[in-house]
Amino acid sequence: MFKQSSALGATVGPLFTETFTLLPLLLLSVSYTAYQFKRLDESIGGLLQQWPKWANAVPYVAIYPVVLITVKRSNDLISQNVGSSVLLTRTGLQLASSIFYSLLFPSKLLLLATPALLHTVLYNVHSPHPSALALLNSTLSLHNYLIHARQESITGYISVLENTKDHFRVLRCDHSLLGGNWLQIPHGAKYTSKAGEPIFAVFAMLEAVRLVDSPAPGKSSDAQPDQKTALVIGLGIGTTPAALIAHSINTTIVEIDPVVYRYANLYFDFPKNHTMVVEDAITFVEKAQGPESGHPKYDYIVHDVFTGGAEPVDLFTHEFLTGLHNLLKPDGAIAINYAGDLLHPTFPRILATINAIFPTCRLYRENPASTTSSSTDFTNMVIFCLKTPSQTLTFRQPIEADYLGSYVRRESLMPRYEVDVESGVLEGGGKGGFRGGAEVNALWKNRTAELAKWQKKSAVAHWGIMRRVITDFVWENW
């Protein structure tokens, strides 16, 4: 059924698939539980039948907290260890479930499932073993694609995908791309990039945080680069931190997923001279701003955590962004990457939160806005902010060294397409504008449920965009 995912879409597809996969399993489980309760009643002489009618529900109510605890503990165990062994993969867990149910329902009819099990083990391209990957690549090669490596991990299904025709390589996480590089010089240009050649302009634009003019008198954004420090939240393939390192900036990267970090090193030539922290960003920021931490402050912070079609809501709360504010030097600047729908209610809330903490900001989109009327406006954008209040935020003009010998950086480093959020073009964003946003409209960590619900619509839009970026065949075959 996965081959019909494009026709069914991101909303109907899961319902259709799980109707034929999860639902039968669920009905079977419920039936088995009822059957066991009936056997229990018979074994104790029909005692349950002698109870008052309301008391018949007592065993079912009593087992409910056991089920809840089991589900929570299982989710925690799987999410913390997914991909660490063949068993803790999607295919492995499905096979384990099959064995478990076979033990619950022993029958000679189960022998009929033997061919399906053998096919899963030997020929299912989703199976986590080298022969399955080789089989998959033999098929993908017909469409000019190649998978170098793949592994399920704590943030999703991670894979390194290469287009052998157009010569680019990307890092995939579930149904989104964390970044990518050109493997050959595009457009026939003659240059030698010192930090990889990104295929997405937004990552080059994030590097413009270096170009933000300092609000402190007598200081410039390019003074004494060897003494400057940067903090990058979210690694991807390492496009932005690699550029900061190339500019001799002492760079610390916080990335929650060790597989993402490993693949960035193995397949995207991520430089070694950096400080790496494999940890949840919330935990890192909380510890770093502690009174006895002695943690240094940063000249630049880059916040780049988009994945899976939506931003991690907890990394856009007032509390987390306040932590980043505290880690900036007084004359520091922050660049926040946000991918979403400008016309969606989520975005004004995010802007209000940012502006409640960082009073001076400017917003740029990756590409110019469409001139045709539409109910959606999904785009990559970067919000640049100063820690210290200022009349305005300005950029110095880049010099040749800023481009690192890169064609894409020469075209995209300097932000171009500014969004005038004070003009009321954003739905729901008119009150107070971008500057001077009220904290009452900010996103707090105990009030993220509504935003998470809104993000489902944005994730569906992103799903459609990804299907246009890379052919359906690749997505459907992992």
Side-chain angles (χ1 to χ4, degrees), residues 164-220:
T164 56
K165 178 183 178 182
D166 296 325
H167 306 290
F168 64 81
R169 184 178 295 173
V170 295
L171 183 64
R172 171 188 173 183
C173 178
D174 285 339
H175 210 278
S176 66
L177 301 177
L178 302 184
N181 278 343
W182 293 104
L183 302 179
Q184 291 187 6
I185 300 174
H187 311 295
K190 295 181 179 180
Y191 59 88
T192 302
S193 179
K194 299 177 182 178
E197 192 64 24
I199 64 173
F200 299 112
V202 67
F203 297 115
M205 188 163 62
L206 279 168
E207 299 167 24
V209 69
R210 294 179 48 254
L211 307 182
V212 174
D213 286 321
S214 170
K219 291 189 176 182
S220 66

Coordinates of all heavy atoms in Angstrom, one line a residue, residues 164-220:
T164 N 22.6 10.6 -8.5 CA 23.7 10.4 -9.4 C 23.7 11.1 -10.7 O 24.7 11.1 -11.4 CB 23.9 8.8 -9.6 OG1 22.7 8.3 -10.2 CG2 24.1 8.1 -8.3
K165 N 22.5 11.6 -11.0 CA 22.4 12.4 -12.3 C 22.7 13.8 -12.1 O 23.5 14.4 -12.9 CB 21.0 12.2 -12.9 CG 20.8 12.9 -14.2 CD 19.3 12.8 -14.7 CE 19.1 13.6 -15.9 NZ 17.7 13.5 -16.4
D166 N 22.1 14.5 -11.1 CA 22.3 15.9 -10.9 C 23.4 16.1 -9.9 O 23.8 17.3 -9.6 CB 21.0 16.5 -10.4 CG 19.9 16.5 -11.4 OD1 20.2 16.6 -12.6 OD2 18.7 16.3 -11.1
H167 N 24.0 15.1 -9.3 CA 25.2 15.2 -8.5 C 25.0 16.0 -7.2 O 25.6 17.0 -7.0 CB 26.4 15.7 -9.3 CG 26.6 14.9 -10.5 ND1 27.1 13.6 -10.5 CD2 26.5 15.2 -11.8 CE1 27.2 13.2 -11.7 NE2 26.8 14.1 -12.6
F168 N 24.0 15.6 -6.4 CA 23.8 16.2 -5.1 C 23.5 15.1 -4.1 O 23.1 14.0 -4.4 CB 22.7 17.3 -5.1 CG 21.3 16.8 -5.3 CD1 20.6 16.2 -4.3 CD2 20.8 16.9 -6.6 CE1 19.3 15.7 -4.6 CE2 19.5 16.5 -6.8 CZ 18.7 15.9 -5.8
R169 N 23.8 15.4 -2.8 CA 23.6 14.5 -1.7 C 22.8 15.2 -0.6 O 23.1 16.3 -0.3 CB 25.0 14.0 -1.2 CG 24.9 12.9 -0.1 CD 26.3 12.5 0.3 NE 27.0 11.8 -0.8 CZ 28.3 11.5 -0.8 NH1 29.0 11.7 0.3 NH2 28.8 10.9 -1.8
V170 N 21.8 14.5 0.0 CA 21.0 15.1 1.0 C 20.9 14.1 2.2 O 21.2 12.9 2.1 CB 19.6 15.4 0.5 CG1 19.6 16.4 -0.6 CG2 18.9 14.1 0.0
L171 N 20.6 14.7 3.3 CA 20.3 14.0 4.6 C 18.9 14.0 4.9 O 18.3 15.1 5.0 CB 21.2 14.5 5.7 CG 21.0 13.8 7.1 CD1 21.6 12.4 6.9 CD2 21.7 14.6 8.2
R172 N 18.3 12.9 4.9 CA 16.8 12.8 5.1 C 16.5 12.4 6.6 O 17.1 11.5 7.1 CB 16.2 11.8 4.2 CG 14.8 11.4 4.4 CD 14.3 10.3 3.6 NE 13.0 9.9 3.9 CZ 12.3 8.9 3.4 NH1 12.9 8.1 2.5 NH2 11.1 8.5 3.8
C173 N 15.4 13.0 7.1 CA 14.9 12.6 8.4 C 13.4 12.4 8.2 O 12.7 13.4 8.0 CB 15.1 13.6 9.5 SG 14.4 13.1 11.1
D174 N 12.9 11.2 8.2 CA 11.5 10.9 7.9 C 11.1 11.5 6.6 O 11.7 11.3 5.6 CB 10.6 11.3 9.0 CG 10.7 10.4 10.2 OD1 11.1 9.2 10.0 OD2 10.3 10.7 11.4
H175 N 10.1 12.5 6.6 CA 9.6 13.0 5.3 C 10.1 14.5 5.1 O 9.4 15.3 4.6 CB 8.1 13.0 5.2 CG 7.6 12.9 3.8 ND1 7.5 13.9 3.0 CD2 7.2 11.8 3.1 CE1 7.0 13.5 1.8 NE2 6.9 12.2 1.9
S176 N 11.3 14.7 5.6 CA 11.9 16.1 5.4 C 13.4 15.9 5.1 O 14.0 14.9 5.3 CB 11.7 17.0 6.6 OG 12.4 16.5 7.7
L177 N 14.0 17.0 4.6 CA 15.4 17.0 4.3 C 16.1 17.9 5.2 O 15.7 19.1 5.3 CB 15.6 17.4 2.8 CG 15.0 16.5 1.7 CD1 15.2 17.0 0.3 CD2 15.5 15.0 1.8
L178 N 17.2 17.5 5.9 CA 17.9 18.3 6.8 C 18.9 19.1 6.2 O 19.5 20.0 6.9 CB 18.5 17.4 7.9 CG 17.6 16.5 8.7 CD1 18.3 15.7 9.8 CD2 16.4 17.2 9.3
G179 N 19.2 18.9 4.9 CA 20.2 19.7 4.2 C 20.8 18.9 3.1 O 20.5 17.7 3.0
G180 N 21.6 19.5 2.3 CA 22.3 18.8 1.2 C 23.4 19.6 0.6 O 23.4 20.9 0.7
N181 N 24.3 19.0 -0.1 CA 25.4 19.6 -0.8 C 25.5 19.2 -2.3 O 25.1 18.1 -2.6 CB 26.7 19.3 -0.2 CG 27.0 20.1 1.1 OD1 26.4 21.1 1.3 ND2 28.0 19.7 1.9
W182 N 25.9 20.1 -3.1 CA 26.3 19.7 -4.5 C 27.6 18.9 -4.4 O 28.5 19.3 -3.8 CB 26.4 21.0 -5.3 CG 25.2 21.7 -5.6 CD1 24.8 22.9 -5.0 CD2 24.1 21.4 -6.5 NE1 23.6 23.3 -5.5 CE2 23.1 22.4 -6.4 CE3 23.9 20.3 -7.3 CZ2 21.9 22.3 -7.1 CZ3 22.7 20.2 -8.0 CH2 21.8 21.2 -7.9
L183 N 27.7 17.9 -5.2 CA 28.9 17.1 -5.3 C 29.8 17.6 -6.5 O 31.0 17.3 -6.5 CB 28.6 15.6 -5.5 CG 27.7 15.0 -4.3 CD1 27.5 13.5 -4.6 CD2 28.5 15.2 -3.0
Q184 N 29.1 18.2 -7.5 CA 29.9 18.8 -8.6 C 29.4 20.3 -8.7 O 28.3 20.7 -8.2 CB 29.6 18.1 -9.9 CG 30.2 16.7 -9.9 CD 30.0 16.0 -11.3 OE1 29.5 16.7 -12.3 NE2 30.4 14.8 -11.4
I185 N 30.2 21.1 -9.3 CA 30.0 22.5 -9.5 C 28.7 22.7 -10.3 O 28.7 22.3 -11.5 CB 31.2 23.2 -10.1 CG1 32.4 23.0 -9.2 CG2 30.9 24.7 -10.3 CD1 33.7 23.6 -9.8
P186 N 27.7 23.3 -9.8 CA 26.5 23.6 -10.6 C 26.7 24.9 -11.4 O 27.6 25.7 -11.2 CB 25.4 23.8 -9.5 CG 26.2 24.4 -8.3 CD 27.5 23.7 -8.4
H187 N 25.9 24.9 -12.5 CA 25.8 26.1 -13.3 C 27.1 26.4 -14.1 O 27.3 27.5 -14.7 CB 25.4 27.4 -12.5 CG 24.2 27.2 -11.6 ND1 23.0 27.0 -12.1 CD2 24.1 27.2 -10.3 CE1 22.1 26.8 -11.1 NE2 22.8 27.0 -10.0
G188 N 28.0 25.4 -14.1 CA 29.3 25.6 -14.8 C 30.2 26.7 -14.2 O 31.1 27.1 -14.9
A189 N 29.9 27.1 -13.0 CA 30.8 28.1 -12.3 C 32.1 27.5 -12.0 O 32.3 26.3 -11.8 CB 30.1 28.6 -11.1
K190 N 33.1 28.4 -11.9 CA 34.5 27.9 -11.6 C 34.9 28.5 -10.2 O 35.1 29.7 -10.1 CB 35.5 28.4 -12.6 CG 35.2 27.7 -14.0 CD 36.2 28.2 -15.0 CE 36.0 27.5 -16.4 NZ 37.0 27.9 -17.4
Y191 N 34.9 27.7 -9.2 CA 35.2 28.1 -7.9 C 35.5 26.9 -7.0 O 35.3 25.8 -7.4 CB 34.1 28.9 -7.2 CG 32.8 28.1 -7.1 CD1 32.6 27.3 -6.0 CD2 31.9 28.1 -8.1 CE1 31.5 26.5 -5.9 CE2 30.8 27.3 -8.1 CZ 30.6 26.5 -7.0 OH 29.4 25.7 -6.9
T192 N 36.1 27.1 -5.8 CA 36.4 26.0 -4.9 C 35.8 26.4 -3.5 O 36.4 27.3 -2.9 CB 37.9 25.7 -4.8 OG1 38.4 25.4 -6.1 CG2 38.1 24.6 -3.9
S193 N 34.7 25.9 -3.1 CA 34.1 26.2 -1.9 C 34.9 25.6 -0.7 O 35.4 24.5 -0.7 CB 32.7 25.7 -1.8 OG 32.1 26.0 -0.5
K194 N 35.1 26.5 0.3 CA 35.8 26.0 1.5 C 35.0 25.4 2.6 O 35.5 24.9 3.6 CB 36.6 27.2 2.1 CG 37.5 27.9 1.2 CD 38.2 29.1 1.8 CE 39.1 29.8 0.8 NZ 39.7 31.1 1.4
A195 N 33.7 25.3 2.4 CA 32.8 24.8 3.4 C 31.6 24.0 2.8 O 30.5 24.1 3.3 CB 32.3 25.9 4.3
G196 N 31.8 23.4 1.7 CA 30.7 22.7 1.0 C 29.8 23.6 0.3 O 29.8 24.8 0.5
E197 N 29.1 23.1 -0.7 CA 28.2 23.9 -1.5 C 26.8 23.5 -1.3 O 26.3 22.5 -1.8 CB 28.6 23.7 -3.0 CG 28.0 24.7 -4.0 CD 28.5 26.1 -3.7 OE1 29.6 26.3 -3.1 OE2 27.8 27.1 -4.1
P198 N 26.0 24.3 -0.5 CA 24.7 23.9 -0.1 C 23.7 24.0 -1.3 O 23.8 24.8 -2.1 CB 24.3 24.9 1.0 CG 25.2 26.1 0.7 CD 26.4 25.6 0.1
I199 N 22.8 23.0 -1.3 CA 21.7 23.1 -2.3 C 20.5 23.9 -1.9 O 19.7 24.3 -2.7 CB 21.3 21.6 -2.7 CG1 20.6 20.9 -1.5 CG2 22.4 20.8 -3.2 CD1 20.0 19.6 -1.9
F200 N 20.4 24.2 -0.6 CA 19.4 25.1 -0.1 C 19.9 26.4 0.3 O 20.8 26.5 1.2 CB 18.7 24.4 1.1 CG 18.0 23.1 0.8 CD1 18.5 21.9 1.3 CD2 16.9 23.0 -0.1 CE1 17.9 20.7 1.0 CE2 16.3 21.8 -0.4 CZ 16.8 20.6 0.1
A201 N 19.4 27.5 -0.2 CA 19.9 28.8 0.0 C 19.7 29.3 1.4 O 20.5 30.1 1.9 CB 19.2 29.8 -1.0
V202 N 18.7 28.8 2.1 CA 18.4 29.2 3.5 C 19.6 29.0 4.4 O 19.8 29.8 5.3 CB 17.1 28.6 4.0 CG1 17.3 27.1 4.3 CG2 16.7 29.3 5.3
F203 N 20.4 27.9 4.2 CA 21.5 27.6 5.1 C 22.6 28.6 4.9 O 23.3 29.0 5.8 CB 21.9 26.2 4.9 CG 20.9 25.2 5.3 CD1 20.4 24.4 4.3 CD2 20.4 25.1 6.6 CE1 19.4 23.4 4.6 CE2 19.5 24.2 6.9 CZ 18.9 23.3 5.9
A204 N 22.8 29.1 3.7 CA 23.7 30.2 3.4 C 23.3 31.5 4.0 O 24.1 32.2 4.6 CB 24.0 30.3 1.9
M205 N 22.0 31.7 4.0 CA 21.4 33.0 4.5 C 21.6 33.0 6.1 O 21.8 34.1 6.7 CB 20.0 33.1 4.1 CG 19.4 34.5 4.5 SD 17.8 34.9 3.7 CE 16.8 33.5 4.2
L206 N 21.5 31.8 6.7 CA 21.7 31.8 8.2 C 23.1 32.3 8.5 O 23.3 32.9 9.6 CB 21.6 30.4 8.7 CG 20.2 29.9 8.9 CD1 20.2 28.3 9.1 CD2 19.5 30.5 10.1
E207 N 24.1 32.1 7.7 CA 25.4 32.6 7.9 C 25.5 34.1 8.0 O 26.5 34.7 8.5 CB 26.4 32.1 6.9 CG 26.5 30.6 6.8 CD 27.2 30.1 5.5 OE1 28.0 30.8 5.0 OE2 26.9 28.9 5.1
A208 N 24.5 34.8 7.5 CA 24.5 36.3 7.5 C 24.4 36.8 9.0 O 24.5 38.0 9.2 CB 23.3 36.8 6.7
V209 N 24.2 36.0 10.0 CA 24.3 36.4 11.3 C 25.6 37.1 11.6 O 25.8 38.0 12.5 CB 24.0 35.3 12.3 CG1 25.1 34.2 12.3 CG2 23.7 35.8 13.7
R210 N 26.7 36.6 10.9 CA 28.0 37.3 11.0 C 28.0 38.7 10.5 O 28.9 39.5 10.9 CB 29.1 36.5 10.2 CG 29.4 35.1 10.7 CD 30.4 34.4 9.9 NE 31.6 35.3 9.6 CZ 31.8 35.9 8.5 NH1 31.0 35.8 7.4 NH2 32.9 36.7 8.3
L211 N 27.1 39.0 9.6 CA 27.1 40.3 8.9 C 26.3 41.3 9.7 O 26.3 42.5 9.3 CB 26.6 40.2 7.5 CG 27.2 39.1 6.6 CD1 26.6 39.2 5.2 CD2 28.7 39.3 6.5
V212 N 25.6 40.9 10.8 CA 24.8 41.8 11.5 C 25.7 42.8 12.2 O 26.6 42.5 13.0 CB 23.9 41.1 12.5 CG1 23.2 42.1 13.4 CG2 22.9 40.2 11.8
D213 N 25.4 44.1 12.0 CA 26.2 45.2 12.7 C 26.0 45.2 14.2 O 24.8 45.1 14.6 CB 25.9 46.5 12.1 CG 26.5 46.7 10.7 OD1 27.6 46.3 10.5 OD2 25.8 47.3 9.8
S214 N 27.0 45.3 14.9 CA 26.9 45.3 16.4 C 26.3 46.7 16.8 O 26.7 47.7 16.3 CB 28.3 45.2 17.0 OG 28.2 45.4 18.4
P215 N 25.4 46.6 17.8 CA 24.8 47.9 18.3 C 25.7 48.6 19.2 O 25.5 49.8 19.5 CB 23.5 47.4 19.0 CG 23.9 46.0 19.5 CD 24.8 45.5 18.4
A216 N 26.8 48.0 19.6 CA 27.7 48.6 20.5 C 28.6 49.6 19.8 O 29.2 49.3 18.7 CB 28.6 47.6 21.3
P217 N 28.8 50.8 20.3 CA 29.6 51.8 19.6 C 31.1 51.3 19.4 O 31.6 50.7 20.4 CB 29.6 53.0 20.5 CG 28.3 52.8 21.3 CD 28.2 51.3 21.5
G218 N 31.6 51.5 18.2 CA 33.0 51.2 18.0 C 33.3 49.8 17.7 O 34.5 49.4 17.6
K219 N 32.3 48.9 17.6 CA 32.5 47.5 17.3 C 31.9 47.2 16.0 O 30.8 47.7 15.6 CB 31.8 46.6 18.4 CG 32.5 46.7 19.7 CD 32.0 45.6 20.7 CE 32.8 45.6 22.0 NZ 32.3 44.5 22.9
S220 N 32.5 46.3 15.2 CA 32.0 45.9 13.9 C 31.8 44.4 13.9 O 32.4 43.7 14.7 CB 33.0 46.3 12.8 OG 34.2 45.6 12.9

